[in-house]
Amino acid sequence: MICSILPRALVAPLAGYVADNYSKKRTILIAQAGTILTMASLLFYTETIEMSVNAIYVTTVFYTLCSAFSGVTFTSAIATLVNPERLQRAMSFNQMSVSVAAVGGPVIGGMMYGFFSMEVFLIVHMVAYAIAFCLEATMNFNLYSTRGDTAKAEKIWQGLVGGFSYMKQHKVIKVVMWLLLWINLFFSAIVVGGTYIIIELLKVDSTHFGFIEAAGAGGIQIGSILLVAITGDLVAISWVYLMITKDLLAITTIVSIQYKAKQACSASGMPVSIIIDLR
């Protein structure tokens, strides 16, 4: 959790600044290339030496950093990729794809873990990001941009101070920020404790664990649909998707890494609970 959440929290302001003041396309491509290089490095390390807990720690940190830059930048670029009339639909499709991946990823990951090696997971992950890299290289991230080329770039500290000042002036935003802080804090504890109970105490195998992970995302889907049906508000479903499924990307590979980490800890005598959840 430290290797995943802490780097994302520390680099998030910088990622937002880069997304606002530098080329979005270049930032996304560099971040995607960094992810591919990170997975290639782990694959090379595994082939030449062996999978280890320290290698997983380092890989998780770099993977989280690259994901933070690419995720923040791509989300902010959606408004410049489509026209205003299609913006809400584009956001809905984006969150829908995230939710579909969150449901299918654990199932596929659990089944692949039983039939393929860790090297296959890493290769599949690299190929998927390479395809995304090629597709994003063809996209025009300034197609519907309304920001002029002469717009004055704001310094990062000025942006941070301005953001905090804006948050203080709007009570609703301040309440939402604190609410999300506590929700994420307790939700992380539930994820770590639940995973430990499922794997260590109940001895659930990898395939069944994948279905359990997918069931959680499926419940989010059902809850979102019910929320829309009750309120009739399309914005509600986008909010639910954004807040709850934002940390469920790339679960297919991460599920496999969890089990490899468990095996490495068991072999070295380290407590499994300290590394069992790396998302």
Side-chain angles (χ1 to χ4, degrees):
M1 296 299 293
I2 292 177
C3 293
S4 178
I5 294 180
L6 185 59
R8 184 185 298 273
L10 294 177
V11 82
L14 179 61
Y17 174 80
V18 172
D20 288 337
N21 296 278
Y22 293 93
S23 171
K24 290 181 172 59
K25 183 174 184 177
R26 187 181 305 167
T27 302
I28 292 175
L29 293 180
I30 292 176
Q32 298 282 38
T35 301
I36 298 173
L37 181 61
T38 299
M39 292 302 164
S41 301
L42 181 59
L43 178 61
F44 177 78
Y45 182 88
T46 303
E47 290 290 332
T48 55
I49 304 178
E50 64 179 358
M51 178 67 68
S52 67
V53 177
N54 291 329
I56 294 175
Y57 286 153
V58 175
T59 300
T60 303
V61 171
F62 282 99
Y63 179 85
T64 301
L65 293 176
C66 294
S67 298
F69 277 94
S70 62
V72 171
T73 306
F74 190 83
T75 301
S76 65
I78 293 179
T80 62
L81 287 169
V82 299
N83 56 27
E85 291 75 18
R86 295 190 177 98
L87 180 58
Q88 184 173 351
R89 182 177 299 178
M91 293 294 293
S92 299
F93 278 121
N94 182 55
Q95 296 304 320
M96 186 182 301
S97 66
V98 173
S99 300
V100 171
V103 174
V107 177
I108 299 174
M111 292 187 294
M112 287 183 64
Y113 179 80
F115 297 100
F116 301 100
S117 63
M118 184 62 191
E119 289 76 8
V120 175
F121 273 97
L122 296 178
I123 293 174
V124 170
H125 200 281
M126 291 169 54
V127 171
Y129 268 90
I131 294 174
F133 181 92
C134 295
L135 292 175
E136 289 163 349
T138 65
M139 300 168 65
N140 185 0
F141 285 85
N142 294 316
L143 186 61
Y144 292 97
S145 177
T146 58
R147 185 177 184 180
D149 296 334
T150 59
K152 184 179 179 180
E154 187 179 40
K155 293 183 179 180
I156 182 171
W157 292 114
Q158 293 177 344
L160 291 176
V161 173
F164 281 112
S165 300
Y166 182 83
M167 185 180 67
K168 290 181 179 179
Q169 295 173 3
H170 295 77
K171 185 176 180 180
V172 175
I173 298 179
K174 187 190 301 184
V175 172
V176 171
M177 291 288 291
W178 279 106
L179 180 63
L180 293 178
L181 175 66
W182 287 108
I183 289 177
N184 279 281
L185 175 64
F186 290 108
F187 185 75
S188 299
I190 293 174
V191 170
V192 175
T195 305
Y196 177 80
I197 293 173
I198 292 172
I199 296 177
E200 286 298 304
L201 301 183
L202 300 180
K203 305 298 181 182
V204 175
D205 59 36
S206 58
T207 303
H208 295 163
F209 179 73
F211 280 102
I212 293 174
E213 290 283 294
I220 296 173
Q221 289 270 17
I222 297 173
S224 300
I225 295 174
L226 291 176
L227 182 62
V228 173
I230 295 174
T231 62
D233 187 4
L234 292 177
V235 178
I237 190 170
S238 299
W239 175 262
V240 173
Y241 284 153
L242 180 62
M243 291 295 106
I244 306 181
T245 66
K246 57 186 175 64
D247 294 325
L248 294 178
L249 292 171
I251 290 180
T252 301
T253 300
I254 301 303
V255 167
S256 67
I257 291 179
Q258 288 178 337
Y259 284 96
K260 292 298 181 181
K262 175 193 171 186
Q263 293 178 349
C265 280
S266 299
S268 61
M270 295 177 62
V272 178
S273 59
I274 66 173
I275 53 86
I276 198 61
D277 194 293
L278 299 177
R279 286 173 300 165

